Amino acid sequence: KLASKWASEQLIGLPKTHHHHYVQHQQQSAEDVKHNSKYKYLEMEDEENMSDLELFAQSLFDLGEYRRAGDILSDSGIHSHEQLKFGEHHHSNNPTASIFPSSSASKRTAIAASACGDLVADPPLPSLTNRGIFLRAYSLYLAGERTKEEQVIEIQEPLEKMTVQNQNLPQLAVELHNYHQTNRLDAFGLYIYGVILKELQKMPTNKSTMPYTPTIIEGIHTPSAQSILIQSLIQYPYNWSAWLDLAELCIGDPTIHPQVESKLKPISQHWMYHFFCVHIFLENQDNENALIVMDRLMNGTHATQTTTTTTT
């Protein structure tokens, strides 16, 4: 919703006299990236390609029933939590086989599951589309955030409030890790995967005070949050929410700026990248460089010489 609102604000702000020329220019830019052999834009799935369950879950999500939407897209049948944890595939048509295709993947799942206790949700349905994978993960993430907020309200000690975490994160990280390993994530699946990794990276490492720690994620060798968010943005640069999450990581740790800038080179000519640079400049109170980038954008030129590295 935030990304949609932001994009609408940019559209309204475009002068009508320049709108036609600007659209033509951006269409050509999009075609250039789309035909790149390594990077391509996301081809959105039509609603007609979604299953009935996914459409139902979408309606529940729109109503704010996040937990129910996630449960609708989860497999509550004969495949129990114990099978998901320890990879006990007693049936030849095990629906988790496509998610955890090897014994090593099952072992990685067992590490995370045993570390965080019982899984908080049933495993995902095996027939989910890319949109269904994203919808389920995002629903369970938001359901966990809502529960966390409710728990924080009931706690009076400020330090204890900081220990409350989204209990759905470890399981979602494991599931999305395995989807990522089997190339099942599209741009939006990568986005929610990056968000979950970002939240897990912020957790304290003291096991005595935390129900789960970043060591769980290290145990299954997940990539960094910024690398996953960048993969998402290269596929679909128009997701402003993903840019904001990436910016939060860059502002929190300036040492990753060179890595981020290097990996974003395929879309460094894209106007969304320049908005990203402006946002980081403003957050770092580098108003001069922010004005330079905005001035070049207004004049229809690229701001390739002004990059995020100047904030370090």
Side-chain angles (χ1 to χ4, degrees):
K1 293 179 180 179
L2 176 63
S4 176
K5 175 186 175 183
W6 183 89
S8 299
E9 290 173 344
Q10 308 314 310
L11 179 62
I12 293 174
L14 287 176
K16 292 184 178 180
T17 55
H18 301 291
H19 182 71
H20 180 68
H21 172 74
Y22 191 80
V23 168
Q24 285 184 327
H25 173 76
Q26 292 307 321
Q27 286 176 342
Q28 182 60 45
S29 176
E31 286 298 315
D32 292 341
V33 178
K34 183 177 180 180
H35 289 94
N36 188 295
S37 59
K38 292 183 179 180
Y39 306 98
K40 62 180 180 179
Y41 281 90
L42 171 74
E43 293 183 3
M44 298 295 292
E45 291 182 352
D46 296 328
E47 287 192 355
E48 62 185 20
N49 294 327
M50 298 174 64
S51 68
D52 293 344
L53 280 178
E54 289 173 344
L55 289 171
F56 180 36
Q58 178 71 64
S59 66
L60 294 173
F61 181 90
D62 293 339
L63 292 172
E65 299 185 35
Y66 304 128
R67 181 68 204 204
R68 190 180 177 197
D71 288 341
I72 286 293
L73 300 177
S74 300
D75 187 354
S76 58
I78 61 173
H79 305 283
S80 67
H81 289 169
E82 292 300 317
Q83 290 176 321
L84 178 60
K85 286 185 194 177
F86 304 106
E88 296 175 356
H89 307 314
H90 298 300
H91 302 272
S92 59
N93 60 344
N94 190 344
T96 60
S98 61
I99 305 173
F100 309 114
S102 65
S103 58
S104 61
S106 298
K107 290 178 181 178
R108 290 194 297 268
T109 305
I111 292 173
S114 60
C116 63
D118 292 335
L119 299 183
V120 294
D122 290 307
L125 290 169
S127 58
L128 294 180
T129 64
N130 289 339
R131 192 165 180 176
I133 292 171
F134 164 75
L135 182 58
R136 177 182 176 277
Y138 197 25
S139 296
L140 291 175
Y141 167 74
L142 291 178
E145 289 295 296
R146 177 178 288 173
T147 301
K148 182 180 72 172
E149 292 175 0
E150 293 172 351
Q151 293 173 343
V152 167
I153 293 175
E154 298 176 357
I155 298 174
Q156 296 182 351
E157 291 294 330
L159 292 179
E160 189 178 352
K161 288 178 181 287
M162 298 177 61
T163 65
V164 180
Q165 302 294 341
N166 185 335
Q167 297 182 4
N168 294 353
L169 295 180
Q171 178 180 343
L172 290 174
V174 174
E175 292 172 354
L176 293 171
H177 167 76
N178 285 282
Y179 277 130
H180 186 246
Q181 290 292 96
T182 54
N183 297 317
R184 291 286 310 279
L185 298 180
D186 63 7
F188 292 102
L190 290 167
Y191 163 64
I192 188 58
Y193 185 26
V195 169
I196 289 169
L197 291 179
K198 177 175 72 74
E199 293 301 311
L200 284 169
Q201 287 177 6
K202 295 192 298 186
M203 290 182 180
T205 57
N206 188 350
K207 291 184 179 181
S208 63
T209 60
M210 298 296 297
Y212 43 82
T213 70
T215 55
I216 300 171
I217 304 306
E218 294 171 4
I220 57 174
H221 307 291
T222 58
S224 64
Q226 62 266 23
S227 66
I228 295 298
L229 288 170
I230 290 171
Q231 289 179 36
S232 172
L233 288 167
I234 287 176
Q235 288 193 35
Y236 189 75
Y238 303 102
N239 185 358
W240 182 239
S241 296
W243 287 110
L244 289 179
D245 284 303
L246 181 59
E248 181 182 339
L249 292 169
C250 290
I251 295 167
D253 183 10
T255 62
I256 69 173
H257 285 188
Q259 174 198 4
V260 170
E261 187 175 347
S262 175
K263 290 187 176 182
L264 284 174
K265 279 185 178 179
I267 54 174
S268 62
Q269 300 295 316
H270 199 284
W271 55 273
M272 288 295 290
Y273 173 77
H274 299 152
F275 275 116
F276 167 70
C277 292
V278 169
H279 176 75
I280 290 185
F281 287 141
L282 292 175
E283 290 295 316
N284 287 310
Q285 299 183 353
D286 189 355
N287 298 330
E288 182 178 352
N289 274 320
L291 287 170
I292 291 174
V293 177
M294 288 189 287
D295 182 66
R296 291 178 178 176
L297 281 172
M298 290 174 64
N299 293 321
T301 58
H302 293 298
T304 54
Q305 295 179 350
T306 307
T307 63
T308 56
T309 54
T310 59
T311 64
T312 59

